[in-house]
Amino acid sequence: MKLVTWNVNSLKVRLPQVLQWLAENPVDVLCLQETKLTDDKFPVAEIEAAGYQVAFTGQKTYNGVAILSKHPMSEVVKNNPRFEDEQQRIIAATIEGVRVVCAYIPNGQAVGSDKYQYKLRWLDALHDWLADELKTHESLALLGDYNIAPDDRDVHDPVAWQGQVLVSDLERAAFQRLLDLGFKDSFRLFEQPEKLFSWWDYRMMAFRRNMGLRIDHVLLSPPLAARCTGCIIDKAPRKWEQPSDHTPVVATIE
DNA sequence: ATGGCCTCGGTTCGAGGA
């Protein structure tokens, strides 16, 4: 079973790339973030024609998440029931016995800003909700754009980024608190190339210069981590015409 | 040199992303 997360930065713009990638990579579950589409504009027919069922929750301009699945989905939940939030950033479904949570964690903008405080509150609430979910779903996968680079290895230039949003101590502590629930960062279960990232700024020719961050993650609860046989970052779509600034992260469960 | 690019809404610029 292949579980994937991909921040597509507008599904309206990126739908052809999503369909192309799925044609080349027939995965079981694809979690999308930043669809930026209201539900009435979601391309259900195109995705179903590609052989996927879909659950989604969106809004105008910003945010929006979706789960594409080859298999039936049940217990679909939109948003964190423990966190009042206008922004559409979470959708969850149970697929083949796996509780799949697709999350677009807030960016935080700048350390100390209102948006940063919102990010930290949001992460606290996520932690508390997942602690509950794990009681009833021991096989739980948390996929998404975390907007956190957990370690200096996940940053192209740790000195330049030190203390900045996406790498600050409080954000990393919040990531660690998720790991403390028992989750494993599937990427780090395996030997990986150095300087492999999941996001590169559109500016500064950052992709060509590999000035990136690893901020998109697949976290697995213990029973799933035990079944995980690989995790790769697929840089290929970042080289396509008009790419998303993020690229897919693929975890394989045996 | 602290910018650079991309997307959106809605108009030709500002906000937000990371």
Side-chain angles (χ1 to χ4, degrees), chain A residues 6 10-22 240:
Chain A
W6 190 7
S10 170
L11 185 57
K12 182 183 173 188
V13 173
R14 228 68 66 191
L15 178 62
Q17 299 195 16
V18 169
L19 296 177
Q20 182 185 341
W21 190 84
L22 284 174
W240 295 349

Side-chain angles (χ1 to χ4, degrees), chain A residues 189-239:
Chain A
L189 292 175
F190 306 95
E191 192 171 335
Q192 300 287 358
E194 287 194 14
K195 304 280 182 187
L196 181 53
F197 309 118
S198 67
W199 168 86
W200 299 261
D201 201 309
Y202 284 121
R203 299 167 293 185
M204 299 177 290
M205 296 180 288
F207 182 66
R208 210 179 71 186
R209 298 158 70 189
N210 199 30
M211 296 169 60
L213 302 175
R214 192 176 70 91
I215 54 177
D216 301 271
H217 309 298
V218 181
L219 263 53
L220 300 174
S221 69
L224 288 180
R227 292 166 52 195
C228 185
T229 57
C231 178
I232 62 109
I233 295 176
D234 183 4
K235 286 167 71 170
R238 191 66 175 76
K239 302 171 187 171

Side-chain angles (χ1 to χ4, degrees):
Chain A
M1 186 179 195
K2 287 189 185 295
L3 307 173
V4 187
T5 182
W6 190 7
N7 179 327
V8 289
N9 185 20
S10 170
L11 185 57
K12 182 183 173 188
V13 173
R14 228 68 66 191
L15 178 62
Q17 299 195 16
V18 169
L19 296 177
Q20 182 185 341
W21 190 84
L22 284 174
E24 297 171 5
N25 302 273
V27 300
D28 296 278
V29 176
L30 173 59
C31 295
L32 302 179
Q33 301 88 38
E34 285 208 86
T35 55
K36 299 187 178 179
L37 289 172
T38 50
D39 291 351
D40 58 305
K41 296 204 167 62
F42 198 92
V44 176
E46 291 89 335
I47 287 169
E48 287 181 348
Y52 288 84
Q53 304 180 30
V54 63
F56 51 89
T57 182
Q59 65 184 85
K60 203 186 261 193
T61 314
Y62 304 119
N63 308 310
V65 285
I67 300 176
L68 280 56
S69 173
K70 276 262 177 69
H71 315 284
M73 290 188 272
S74 60
E75 302 179 280
V76 173
V77 169
K78 302 172 182 178
N79 298 316
N80 177 351
R82 302 175 69 126
F83 189 76
E84 191 73 34
D85 197 359
E86 304 259 312
Q87 304 184 24
Q88 302 304 305
R89 294 180 173 277
I90 286 180
I91 190 161
T94 302
I95 302 165
E96 301 279 280
V98 177
R99 189 67 177 152
V100 174
V101 178
C102 170
Y104 176 42
I105 291 171
N107 167 281
Q109 199 163 60
V111 172
S113 66
D114 288 349
K115 292 194 172 74
Y116 183 77
Q117 297 305 329
Y118 165 73
K119 179 178 192 174
L120 295 177
R121 289 202 320 275
W122 199 99
L123 282 161
D124 264 350
L126 176 68
H127 172 279
D128 293 350
W129 175 51
L130 291 178
D132 273 355
E133 286 288 290
L134 285 165
K135 293 174 189 165
T136 48
H137 304 86
E138 65 170 10
S139 290
L140 195 159
L142 176 62
L143 300 96
D145 175 359
Y146 287 63
N147 274 312
I148 299 171
D151 190 275
D152 279 353
R153 288 178 295 174
D154 305 314
V155 181
H156 69 92
D157 185 347
V159 174
W161 277 88
Q162 187 166 21
Q164 301 293 312
V165 73
L166 312 186
V167 308
S168 73
D169 289 344
L170 288 174
E171 291 164 88
R172 286 179 167 176
F175 187 86
Q176 181 60 48
R177 284 191 75 218
L178 295 175
L179 298 184
D180 291 344
L181 291 172
F183 289 109
K184 298 291 187 193
D185 179 351
S186 57
F187 185 79
R188 292 296 179 206
L189 292 175
F190 306 95
E191 192 171 335
Q192 300 287 358
E194 287 194 14
K195 304 280 182 187
L196 181 53
F197 309 118
S198 67
W199 168 86
W200 299 261
D201 201 309
Y202 284 121
R203 299 167 293 185
M204 299 177 290
M205 296 180 288
F207 182 66
R208 210 179 71 186
R209 298 158 70 189
N210 199 30
M211 296 169 60
L213 302 175
R214 192 176 70 91
I215 54 177
D216 301 271
H217 309 298
V218 181
L219 263 53
L220 300 174
S221 69
L224 288 180
R227 292 166 52 195
C228 185
T229 57
C231 178
I232 62 109
I233 295 176
D234 183 4
K235 286 167 71 170
R238 191 66 175 76
K239 302 171 187 171
W240 295 349
E241 286 291 314
Q242 201 177 12
S244 170
D245 44 355
H246 297 252
T247 203
V249 181
V250 184
T252 305
I253 311 294
E254 79 172 30

